[in-house]
């Protein structure tokens, strides 16, 4: 060994480049174990964000039609669209959810117990109850629409279903389907989700509710049905919920503070900034606040719906990046950054 | 009676006998043959198929041994006054830690589990019933220590059972049985707490003032988890061992989040109702 090499080895001894210890390795400021994530991310694939979107839509649509019912606003087209939409969303949702299970054939174990502390448990029960209620209500609608045949025993039986009463019963359940998804992801160890426990549920509910009038007005416009007043109301509701959604996203970003970084990462920014903030909120708002026309309304609806889907994907993908970042988790799980039992908000 | 582990990292020699014993006893599949280049650790982390994982932490801060050193004196734990001002800190130069499920007092995975597959058994250990689990995977991001994962080809979630089967037969868990230096101790939690306290005091008396117990409600296990049944004696900051400093119970805010959602639902209902006014 030459003298210079020996010297080099001796000088570098204590600061070997492959060595881990962060305090002595000048290239590494962060403290962690070879960059291996200290927590594991959720395995959830595309089915889960799509379910979040569809479930939120089903909840929002029902809220809209039930409020219309309560206010005595009767519009056959609105009621019909809303009831069939709820049925469709609640037929698709369990398929997506069961598909995502590691052992799909054991899906029924979800209804084995009720656990109020587990949002996954309350969510399963809510989807179960809401799906059944929505099914009964849609059956009554189908009977009235003559889809079940004319005046046979089945039709007479189905027409006994008190659809308007069941709509009221289903309202809180449906709202839970829409908001509980947010609480579900915030009740984890993933920094970006857990930090935002206060606004996650409201944000998901509002996003679902902003897609609902978009969907309803889209269907009514495309089928050229629905009363003028309904469409005006839908546009007003769309604008109002988009504004509230934008406000809640802003509040969430403040609350997530530095842990919101994954939303602006290269992978997620197109979905979050492009798809949600610009495409899903700003663009439809610009279209809706201008002079109203059918084409513009249809375009705004499509954009808002796509924005809602992009938003769910952005949040789920952002959570994966957040969970895989040791620095994010360690700063989060130190001092008072993580939510503490004594925290009120 | 609650049983648990006490893993004394100061006497761990990184032999991985615990990893092997665990794999063998629990018939866990191999994780592949990846060479990570991260010291001698090719296991990397705990997972559904690795329930004990030995972390290899190289700590080159403490200078190497130079000059004419009395190795016998060193072996007898005389650390002060080495020739040439050299420091030899056998505990600091290498740090090994055999990581395992923490068996939390208030377990986030158990609270998250929607099927009730995750229970506390009669030994007060957190146990996944494999015949109930339907692989929803919600326990995985709930765990603040990254212990549980889903096993891909199986679909279900798995983690350390604290050798439930062996305990029922009056045996200690496979890893503790295999540990040649008694770094892994198994027993009643209260007893282990006392041993840990004495050991840390002993280490402090010998000059290793950085030693501490991790997994008590005071250090690691705040925020509603209320401590762990698997405790560790550590010699460095928790992050160095890939452990969080103040983990918290994720379900702590479910109630608050639900109330916030209810308020939001009321406000949104009112907004929709207002939209009906022409």
């Amino acid at each position: 060994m030459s003298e210079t090499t020996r010297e080099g080895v001796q000088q570098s001894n204590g600061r070997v480049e492959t060595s881990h210890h962060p305090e002595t390795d000048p290239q590494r400021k962060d403290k962690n174990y070879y960059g291996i994530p200290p927590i594991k991310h959720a395995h959830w694939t595309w089915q889960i964000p799509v379910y979040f979107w569809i479930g939120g839509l089903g909840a929002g649509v029902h809220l809209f039609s039930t409020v219309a019912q309560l206010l005595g606003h009767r519009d056959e087209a609105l009621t019909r669209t809303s009831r069939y939409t709820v049925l469709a969303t609640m037929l698709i949702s369990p398929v997506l959810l069961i598909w995502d299970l590691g052992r799909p054939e054991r899906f029924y174990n979800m209804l084995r117990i009720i656990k109020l502390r587990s949002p996954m448990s309350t969510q399963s029960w809510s989807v179960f109850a809401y799906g059944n209620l929505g099914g009964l209500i849609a059956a009554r609608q189908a009977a009235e629409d003559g889809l079940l045949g004319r005046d046979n025993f089945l039709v007479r039986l189905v027409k006994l279903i008190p659809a308007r009463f069941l709509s009221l019963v289903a309202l809180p359940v449906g709202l839970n389907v829409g908001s509980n998804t947010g609480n579900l992801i915030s009740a984890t160890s993933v920094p970006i989700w857990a930090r935002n426990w206060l606004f996650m549920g409201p944000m998901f509910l509002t996003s679902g509710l902003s897609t609902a009038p978009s969907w309803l007005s889209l269907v009514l416009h495309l089928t050229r049905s629905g009363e003028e007043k309904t469409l005006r109301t839908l546009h007003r509701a769309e604008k109002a919920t988009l504004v509230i959604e934008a406000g809640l996203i802003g509040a969430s970003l403040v609350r997530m503070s530095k842990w919101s970084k994954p939303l602006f990462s290269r992978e997620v920014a197109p979905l979050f900034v492009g798809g949600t903030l610009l495409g899903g909120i700003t663009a439809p708002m610009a279209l809706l606040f201008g002079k109203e026309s059918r084409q513009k309304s249809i375009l705004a609806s499509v954009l808002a719906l796509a924005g809602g889907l992009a938003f769910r994907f952005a949040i789920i993908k952002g959570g994966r990046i957040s969970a895989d970042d040791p620095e994010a988790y360690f700063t989060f799980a130190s001092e008072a950054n993580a939510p503490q039992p004594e925290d009120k908000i | 009676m609650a049983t648990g582990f006490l893993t004394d990292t100061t006497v761990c020699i990184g032999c991985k006998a615990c990893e092997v014993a665990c794999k063998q006893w629990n018939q866990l599949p191999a994780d592949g043959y990846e060479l990570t280049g991260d010291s001698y650790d090719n296991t990397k982390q705990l997972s559904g198929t690795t329930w004990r994982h030995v972390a290899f932490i190289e700590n080159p801060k403490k200078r190497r041994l130079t000059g004419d050193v009395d190795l016998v004196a060193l072996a007898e734990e005389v650390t002060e006054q080495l020739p040439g001002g050299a420091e030899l800190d056998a505990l600091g130069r290498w740090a090994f830690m055999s990581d395992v499920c923490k068996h939390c007092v208030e377990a986030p995975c158990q609270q998250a589990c929607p099927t009730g597959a995750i229970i506390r058994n009669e030994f007060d250990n957190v146990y996944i019933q494999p015949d109930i689990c339907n692989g929803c995977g919600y326990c995985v991001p709930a765990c603040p220590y990254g212990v549980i994962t889903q096993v891909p080809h199986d679909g279900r979630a798995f983690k350390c059972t604290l050798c439930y089967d062996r305990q029922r037969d009056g045996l200690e868990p496979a890893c503790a049985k295999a540990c040649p230096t008694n770094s892994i101790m198994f027993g009643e939690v209260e007893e282990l707490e006392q041993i840990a306290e004495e050991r840390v005091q002993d280490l402090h008396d010998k000059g290793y003032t950085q030693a501490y117990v991790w997994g008590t409600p005071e250090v690691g296990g705040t925020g509603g988890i209320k401590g762990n049944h698997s405790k560790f004696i550590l010699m460095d900051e928790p992050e160095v061992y890939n452990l969080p400093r103040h983990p918290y119970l994720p379900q702590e805010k479910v109630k608050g989040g639900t109330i916030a959602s209810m308020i939001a639902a009321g406000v949104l209902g009112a907004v929709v109702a207002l939209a009906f006014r022409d």
Side-chain angles (χ1 to χ4, degrees), chain B residues 98-112:
Chain B
S98 180
D99 199 4
V100 70
C101 171
K102 315 299 178 290
H103 291 281
C104 308
V105 175
E106 293 286 339
C109 60
Q110 191 212 344
Q111 299 208 2

Side-chain angles (χ1 to χ4, degrees), chain B residues 164 170 215 241 247:
Chain B
Y164 190 15
Y241 301 91

Side-chain angles (χ1 to χ4, degrees), chain A residues 307-324:
Chain A
L309 184 60
F311 176 61
R312 309 307 159 99
F313 270 100
I315 295 288
I316 296 296
K317 276 178 180 271
R320 182 170 285 230
I321 295 172
S322 182
D324 286 345

